[in-house]
Amino acid sequence: MKETLREDFDRKVVVESFGARILLQSSSKELLEMAVNRAHSALLGQLTIIENTEDAEAGIDYRFALDFDEEGEWYLRENDQKTNYGGSEFIFFKYFDSMLRLRVAENAHDRVFVHGGVGGWMGEALMIPATSFKGKTTLVAELIRNGAEYYSDEYALLDSNGLVHPFPRDLTLRDQDV
């Protein structure tokens, strides 16, 4: 099967989160609106839409193009490289959410993102840096059950003074075989 992808991404919006500017593009107005809504959710509302897109494009840190191929398959391009075909809207946007958070974390100007869980205890932050599937969420959930303040189970956001800032997504514990 010959792959044919659209190149006419005439609809676009520039968003900014933690100082990182991301260009979202699509040939579909509806799909672009869905992407912006998902970006608001994925970044916990920490998102600003840059009104003057043409001026903002000069300072972008990353580009996402979202669209369909001729067979109606979802696809995502990152900086002009095809990265994913999605079998369903749910899978496609779950992947987009993850990649968007990752690219904002990599390109943030005013925070350092550390992949880890964080709880607050008696005015101090307990940071648990680890890769995926190593138990960060389980440990953070246990801290919360024991009275800690919830900051994050995905990213510890550090500012230039070394202070930790919240990135509180809903906790979702994976099924565990014991």
Side-chain angles (χ1 to χ4, degrees):
M1 175 170 82
K2 184 176 189 291
E3 178 181 312
T4 54
L5 302 177
R6 295 180 187 174
E7 300 294 334
D8 58 335
F9 300 119
D10 56 339
R11 305 201 185 270
K12 54 189 157 185
V13 64
V14 175
V15 297
E16 185 173 287
S17 184
F18 300 101
R21 285 194 175 192
I22 309 291
L23 174 65
L24 304 175
Q25 327 174 239
S26 182
S27 62
S28 163
K29 178 182 177 187
E30 294 78 17
L31 185 53
L32 187 59
E33 288 173 0
M34 290 170 70
V36 171
N37 289 335
R38 292 302 294 253
H40 270 287
S41 175
L43 297 166
L44 308 175
Q46 298 294 314
L47 185 78
T48 302
I49 296 173
I50 308 300
E51 295 297 329
N52 190 342
T53 304
E54 289 182 20
D55 289 345
E57 279 189 63
I60 62 165
D61 297 297
Y62 211 81
R63 291 185 309 276
F64 286 101
L66 302 88
D67 228 329
F68 302 98
D69 66 13
E70 290 179 345
E71 286 79 38
E73 294 285 326
W74 300 82
Y75 76 88
L76 181 67
R77 283 191 173 186
E78 296 185 53
N79 282 347
D80 300 323
Q81 298 295 313
K82 180 186 74 170
T83 60
N84 184 53
Y85 270 86
S88 71
E89 180 179 331
F90 176 79
I91 292 169
F92 176 79
F93 276 109
K94 186 172 175 136
Y95 181 77
F96 171 69
D97 289 358
S98 294
M99 291 299 99
L100 178 64
R101 283 191 305 272
L102 179 63
R103 300 313 177 210
V104 166
E106 290 173 339
N107 292 285
H109 295 221
D110 55 1
R111 297 284 188 267
V112 172
F113 285 61
V114 176
H115 191 223
V118 184
W121 184 257
M122 298 175 62
E124 301 291 329
L126 303 169
M127 187 167 46
I128 306 159
T131 58
S132 297
F133 301 99
K134 298 299 181 195
K136 294 182 304 295
T137 301
T138 303
L139 288 170
V140 168
E142 194 59 32
L143 286 170
I144 293 166
R145 274 192 282 281
N146 285 283
E149 183 180 354
Y150 175 55
Y151 276 48
S152 179
D153 73 327
E154 181 176 15
Y155 289 119
L157 276 61
L158 305 172
D159 67 18
S160 61
N161 295 317
L163 299 176
V164 179
H165 297 267
F167 193 80
R169 302 180 321 143
D170 290 340
L171 284 177
T172 304
L173 294 168
R174 295 184 176 101
D175 292 334
Q176 298 175 350
D177 294 328
V178 183

